Amino acid sequence: MNRKRCFLPSLLLILAAALAGRAQDIDDYLKSQLQARHIPAISVAVLKNGAVIKAEAYGLADMEHGIAARPDTVFKIGSVSKQFLAAGIMILVQDGKIAIDDKVGKYIKGIPRSWEAITLRHLLTHTAGLTREGPGFDPFRIQPDIDVIKTAYPVPLLFKPGEKHEYSNLGYFMLGEVIHRVSGKPWGDFLTERVFAPLGMTSTRVTTATAIVPNRADGYAWMENKYQNAANWPAVRPSGAFLSTTLDLAKWEAALLTDRILTSASKKQMWTGVTLNDGSKVPYGFGWFLNDWPADSRVPTGVPMIRHGGSMPGFRAGFARWPSHGLAVIVLTNGEGADVDALAANIAIRIVPELKTR
């Protein structure tokens, strides 16, 4: 008898059993979180080196009609959208139409004098000094992005461009406007044409409260010890622009491991922390947070993590990557009580046990 031939099937069976055990552990953990955190539904995709190793959904996408969530259920992804706006800017850079250190006034005329030093890099990295929101943004009123931007013209900058890092959704409104003016198309159409359609992300689209969206999840909040329907904003923010599924976002993750949409040079810029005017560094790139694992660690651990979360009424989303382990975890939920960072972290340590720190 050939001992080597006997050994290989045994090894494969052991590995298969180990993976099945981890998958069951993840299932049990996520099902427990549905009740513990009052989350109607959780959809997850886990990828290793760009290949989906787990795609599953738990709970109800629509509580009123008892419709179960599926991996192709469509959720609002909130600020996970920022990486796509940033990708749109980098595509225009690759096309030779803009440069990252161009002043925003080159593309949006009539901005206040105090904004003249703001560059596209400042907008991408939240270092422009802009207020978090445009004062004129109204979630229940549909209006052009430029109108929201103009309502911030009288508001003084919080600091000189490049001096600090302070999260600003308004900055991504301006990036959306730049994409629109340079490409000659609405930013949603541009990203569909250059990113979503080429990758087969057929369920990813600009958020809408009125269009028919197959497999759409409803959003919920847990209030006064019961579920309630969350507000459904008709206004679209470039800073939290899209609807998507875990399966579609998995296609995007796979593409990020290639040069199909973004070149290696573009991704290097996107995943490099910003340097402030005083030379200090902030762990935020272009639409991505850049932390060592775990994200709340106060000291470098040497395990890089690339991530971003998203929040909309009734929805929480998370996209986390551990490039040194070839691991990505995508979590979409339709409950305001979901801690997506914790969900992603607990999935990750079940897939790669050496990530467990405590």
Side-chain angles (χ1 to χ4, degrees):
M1 181 181 291
N2 189 318
R3 293 185 178 181
K4 186 175 182 181
R5 289 181 180 176
C6 290
F7 174 75
L8 287 176
S10 298
L11 179 60
L12 292 174
L13 287 171
I14 292 170
L15 290 173
L19 289 173
R22 291 177 188 176
Q24 184 61 52
D25 191 15
I26 291 171
D27 291 341
D28 292 343
Y29 165 70
L30 292 174
K31 289 174 183 177
S32 74
Q33 292 303 295
L34 293 176
Q35 294 185 350
R37 305 287 298 191
H38 304 295
I39 309 167
I42 301 172
S43 180
V44 301
V46 183
L47 294 93
K48 200 78 165 64
N49 299 320
V52 176
I53 61 172
K54 185 175 182 61
E56 190 58 80
Y58 314 82
L60 296 176
D62 181 336
M63 299 190 76
E64 290 179 309
H65 297 92
I67 299 173
R70 308 183 320 208
D72 64 349
T73 294
V74 177
F75 295 80
K76 294 179 182 179
I77 65 171
S79 288
V80 172
S81 303
K82 286 184 170 68
Q83 62 195 265
F84 293 114
L85 270 294
I89 291 292
M90 297 311 296
I91 290 169
L92 291 174
V93 171
Q94 292 171 184
D95 290 347
K97 295 183 177 180
I98 62 175
I100 286 298
D101 291 308
D102 284 346
K103 302 288 178 60
V104 69
K106 180 177 179 180
Y107 306 105
I108 303 178
K109 305 299 183 182
I111 60 173
R113 179 172 295 182
S114 62
W115 292 18
E116 291 176 355
I118 295 175
T119 66
L120 299 182
R121 185 185 301 275
H122 290 138
L123 297 177
L124 288 161
T125 57
H126 304 287
T127 57
L130 296 168
T131 184
R132 186 180 179 98
E133 306 288 352
F137 175 72
D138 180 345
F140 297 101
R141 178 187 174 198
I142 298 174
Q143 56 185 319
D145 295 337
I146 189 61
D147 288 356
V148 176
I149 294 167
K150 286 180 177 179
T151 66
Y153 284 0
V155 180
L157 292 180
L158 303 176
F159 47 83
K160 292 180 180 179
E163 187 175 84
K164 297 179 182 179
H165 167 90
E166 192 157 329
Y167 200 83
S168 173
N169 287 320
L170 175 62
Y172 275 73
F173 269 78
M174 296 181 71
L175 291 169
E177 187 67 15
V178 170
I179 292 172
H180 170 49
R181 296 190 180 202
V182 174
S183 71
K185 302 173 183 178
W187 48 262
D189 291 353
F190 178 78
L191 285 165
T192 296
E193 179 183 304
R194 298 297 297 273
V195 178
F196 306 144
L199 297 180
M201 297 172 64
T202 55
S203 295
T204 304
R205 54 158 301 152
V206 174
T207 298
T208 172
T210 57
I212 302 300
V213 178
N215 304 320
R216 185 207 293 258
D218 288 327
Y220 301 95
W222 179 261
M223 300 176 64
E224 300 176 355
N225 294 316
K226 61 183 177 181
Y227 287 107
Q228 297 186 19
N229 287 306
N232 192 9
W233 292 356
V236 176
R237 302 185 301 168
S239 54
F242 296 111
L243 301 171
S244 193
T245 68
T246 50
L247 292 179
D248 267 14
L249 294 176
K251 294 175 183 178
W252 171 239
E253 165 61 20
L256 288 173
L257 300 181
T258 73
D259 290 347
R260 183 173 177 187
I261 303 296
L262 297 171
T263 65
S264 296
S266 290
K267 287 178 287 188
K268 183 177 180 180
Q269 287 194 77
M270 291 181 73
W271 296 333
T272 298
V274 60
T275 300
L276 301 179
N277 295 344
D278 64 2
S280 62
K281 295 186 180 296
V282 174
Y284 194 94
F286 299 171
W288 291 95
F289 286 99
L290 310 168
N291 305 96
D292 271 12
W293 165 258
D296 59 356
S297 176
R298 296 184 179 181
V299 296
T301 64
V303 180
M305 183 181 181
I306 303 170
R307 66 184 178 90
H308 215 292
S311 176
M312 292 285 283
F315 294 88
R316 299 291 183 269
F319 195 138
R321 311 176 74 246
W322 290 262
S324 60
H325 291 79
L327 178 67
V329 178
I330 301 159
V331 180
L332 303 180
T333 75
N334 62 344
E336 293 185 358
D339 183 343
V340 290
D341 288 338
L343 293 173
N346 276 281
I347 293 169
I349 63 176
R350 285 165 167 81
I351 298 293
V352 182
E354 56 264 38
L355 288 173
K356 190 170 184 177
T357 57
R358 55 181 176 269

